Amino acid sequence: MSSFKILTFLTVILAVVPVLFGQDLALDESNLDEVMATGTMEPPMSSATHAHPTTAPKHPTPTPTLSEGNYTLKGHNGKVCFRAMFETSFKVMYAAKENGKTVMKTASFGLPATHAYQGICGTKMIHFWITWKPGYILNMTFIEKGVNGTIEPSSEIEEMKETQAWELESIKFTYSTGDKKHFLNAEKPGIKNAYSNATAIYFRTPINETFTCISQSTIPLLESNMKKIANVTISKAKIQPFAQNYGAEYTCASDLAKNNVVPIAVGAALAGLLLIVIVAYFIGRRNARAGYESV
């Protein structure tokens, strides 16, 4: 292979490969937008302090919905204070009776299609909860707060310079182990409660910006004795409290990490092709030089 042919091959490779990979990247971004547009999410619970509330606040008749998590709350003035979309699933450990012995099992289930939601709008706190039969309540509380210096949420990579932020302060999950569909052979069936860690930070986002996260965010839930008893997993999330409309997207760290995988793979592939071409070039030169010497 002559040096001219090898250089021509190198030029063609460098021109064509980025175009091909660029098409793949465009397809990935399109798919990402489609998932975000059709995704679903879930809402919060709360109390004025970090203490775990024992009962949900009283409020108007629940708003029925058949969707799996497209929510809008309005205050007394008729203005929207909360918008959210997300999907939710649960894993709950419970004691069951089998062959006269007590064994620990795990119940796994998602939010059913038929459920109701309601909430209370406040200037600095929003209570939002979802209810479904028999006896399930997912209660979430969002708060707005000032922060000193930069905001460094545990779930985010970017450093935020805003001094005001919102976050998911707490979750309370009420469930019934008397539900034989999910809690088969439950020992001492009845209404149970699980709470998020009062000291943890979830979904902290600059005020007026929308938390978006296609990846799964798993939040551990504890019994009153602080023993872990359950997990709630939120995915395909788009959450915006304290605003009438969705704001600029603030992407979670796990999504940012996934988005970085494709550019790295493209760079590695190009580097590999370039190395192959360079090696072929020098082999071609060596063979050509050997041919000249033999003549």
Side-chain angles (χ1 to χ4, degrees):
M1 182 184 295
S2 68
S3 299
F4 176 74
K5 288 183 179 180
I6 293 176
L7 289 175
T8 302
F9 176 68
L10 175 60
T11 302
V12 171
I13 289 295
L14 293 178
V16 172
V17 170
V19 174
L20 294 177
F21 278 100
Q23 291 174 346
D24 290 341
L25 287 173
L27 288 174
D28 288 343
E29 291 173 357
S30 174
N31 292 338
L32 186 67
D33 292 340
E34 182 180 353
V35 171
M36 184 64 73
T38 58
T40 51
M41 313 180 181
E42 90 183 309
M45 118 172 184
S46 105
S47 91
T49 67
H50 283 285
H52 299 313
T54 56
T55 58
K58 295 181 179 180
H59 20 266
T61 304
T63 303
T65 174
L66 296 179
S67 68
E68 290 191 357
N70 191 338
Y71 309 106
T72 302
L73 289 182
K74 293 183 179 180
H76 294 299
N77 57 6
K79 293 184 178 180
V80 173
C81 73
F82 177 83
R83 292 183 185 275
M85 296 184 291
F86 55 83
E87 291 181 353
T88 312
S89 61
F90 306 88
K91 286 189 176 182
V92 183
M93 292 182 290
Y94 70 99
K97 276 289 187 182
E98 284 191 355
N99 299 322
K101 296 181 180 179
T102 300
V103 296
M104 294 304 297
K105 288 192 170 186
T106 300
S108 300
F109 51 93
L111 185 67
T114 302
H115 59 272
Y117 72 93
Q118 55 191 143
I120 298 176
C121 296
T123 56
K124 298 294 183 180
M125 180 177 290
I126 294 175
H127 298 279
F128 178 77
W129 58 97
I130 304 170
T131 60
W132 67 98
K133 295 180 180 181
Y136 291 91
I137 305 173
L138 177 64
N139 195 344
M140 307 169 84
T141 298
F142 293 93
I143 61 170
E144 179 184 331
K145 63 187 295 184
V147 290
N148 296 323
T150 57
I151 301 172
E152 298 178 350
S154 59
S155 62
E156 309 304 328
I157 290 177
E158 297 182 26
E159 193 177 70
M160 299 184 289
K161 298 180 180 180
E162 289 80 354
T163 56
Q164 286 295 118
W166 66 263
E167 63 187 50
L168 172 59
E169 182 192 43
S170 60
I171 294 177
K172 177 184 175 183
F173 180 47
T174 301
Y175 58 97
S176 172
T177 55
D179 180 6
K180 295 182 179 180
K181 178 179 179 181
H182 301 306
F183 299 93
L184 187 63
N185 300 324
E187 186 177 54
K188 298 179 181 179
I191 300 298
K192 313 288 184 181
N193 294 306
Y195 309 88
S196 60
N197 189 328
T199 62
I201 297 173
Y202 305 110
F203 304 165
R204 182 178 283 178
T205 302
I207 198 67
N208 295 324
E209 292 192 21
T210 300
F211 174 81
T212 59
C213 195
I214 294 177
S215 303
Q216 293 184 343
S217 300
T218 299
I219 299 174
L221 302 178
L222 314 174
E223 294 180 298
S224 56
N225 61 4
M226 302 304 291
K227 180 181 177 181
K228 181 180 174 182
I229 193 66
N231 284 332
V232 56
T233 298
I234 297 173
S235 61
K236 299 180 184 177
K238 187 175 183 180
I239 305 174
Q240 178 66 73
F242 306 107
Q244 295 191 56
N245 299 299
Y246 289 116
E249 293 187 352
Y250 184 72
T251 306
C252 65
S254 50
D255 280 4
L256 291 175
K258 288 181 179 179
N259 292 340
N260 289 334
V261 170
V262 175
I264 292 173
V266 171
L270 287 174
L273 286 172
L274 182 60
L275 179 62
I276 292 173
V277 171
I278 291 174
V279 171
Y281 170 74
F282 282 107
I283 292 176
R285 286 194 60 182
R286 187 180 64 180
N287 291 341
R289 184 178 299 172
Y292 295 144
E293 290 176 354
S294 63
V295 172

